[in-house]
Amino acid sequence: MAAAYTSPGRHYHNLTHIEDCLGALARVENLSPLDREILSAAIWWHDVVYDATRADNEALRAQLAERHVRKDLRQEVGRLIRLTKTHDVQPDDRLGAILISIDLSILGAEPARYDAYAAAIRREFIHVPEADYRAGRAKVLSQFAARPVIFPDAVFAARYDRQARENLARELASLRG
């Protein structure tokens, strides 16, 4: 599976992203061993298929995970991976809130790291003409910025929300400028 994350064209969605996500998971408190195992599997599988020209990556990832993870984890791991398409989580979905918050935590990174992430995403979408990329990226970032809560897990929200909003505003200004 690690080989998938080292394929050409992966400038952000690579092993470093998985390592960062696993590191963030390690800092989450009050998880049962089973919940930690489910989230670990979801992290490993959540970007295993990555083709920036396709719209069905999340479904393909979930299907692949459901074929390969332990039987008693399949349904939940697949469900969590599917959440990464919209990043929308129900209020009572703690595991979903944690996974989505972990996946989005780069938005709340210090500015230099965020800027490196934004540049890496642009390289992953190099096939998209500049004007189209700017419009599409601005739309996605505006949707996150408009949310009352970017990070559905309260601990992540407290830690990252302010910086995420500053980063999003800065990138949006550069995309529109």
Side-chain angles (χ1 to χ4, degrees):
M1 178 183 343
Y5 288 99
T6 62
S7 63
R10 285 183 179 250
H11 303 281
Y12 173 72
H13 293 93
N14 54 31
L15 279 177
T16 300
H17 172 56
I18 298 304
E19 291 166 359
D20 289 346
C21 288
L22 292 170
L25 175 60
R27 294 185 294 276
V28 174
E29 297 178 354
N30 301 317
L31 285 174
S32 72
L34 179 61
D35 287 347
R36 197 167 293 282
E37 185 177 4
I38 289 167
L39 285 165
S40 293
I43 287 169
W44 271 107
W45 290 96
H46 89 280
D47 280 329
V48 73
V49 174
Y50 188 78
D51 180 346
T53 66
R54 296 182 64 123
D56 62 348
N57 285 305
E58 292 81 7
L60 295 173
R61 297 166 187 159
Q63 292 164 7
L64 202 57
E66 290 165 342
R67 287 196 302 266
H68 290 90
V69 300
R70 208 173 69 215
K71 188 175 182 177
D72 61 320
L73 306 182
R74 288 178 183 166
Q75 184 176 356
E76 183 65 355
V77 169
R79 182 189 73 79
L80 290 171
I81 292 167
R82 286 179 180 89
L83 289 176
T84 66
K85 182 160 181 78
T86 63
H87 296 93
D88 292 331
V89 179
Q90 295 300 310
D92 63 344
D93 184 359
R94 181 165 190 243
L95 293 187
I98 292 169
L99 178 68
I100 295 307
S101 295
I102 286 172
D103 193 32
L104 295 178
S105 63
I106 189 64
L107 300 180
E110 48 110 315
R113 186 160 176 246
Y114 178 89
D115 292 347
Y117 146 77
I121 293 296
R122 178 62 181 117
R123 286 193 305 276
E124 288 184 348
F125 284 86
I126 199 65
H127 61 281
V128 178
E130 186 68 20
D132 294 341
Y133 177 80
R134 285 175 173 268
R137 178 81 173 156
K139 180 180 177 186
V140 168
L141 296 182
S142 294
Q143 290 170 343
F144 280 118
R147 290 179 176 206
V149 177
I150 295 172
F151 304 95
D153 179 80
V155 173
F156 281 83
R159 181 173 181 187
Y160 294 115
D161 190 76
R162 182 193 52 78
Q163 185 63 56
R165 291 186 187 283
E166 290 175 13
N167 288 335
L168 293 173
R170 191 177 68 257
E171 187 178 359
L172 281 165
S174 74
L175 290 168
R176 294 174 176 153

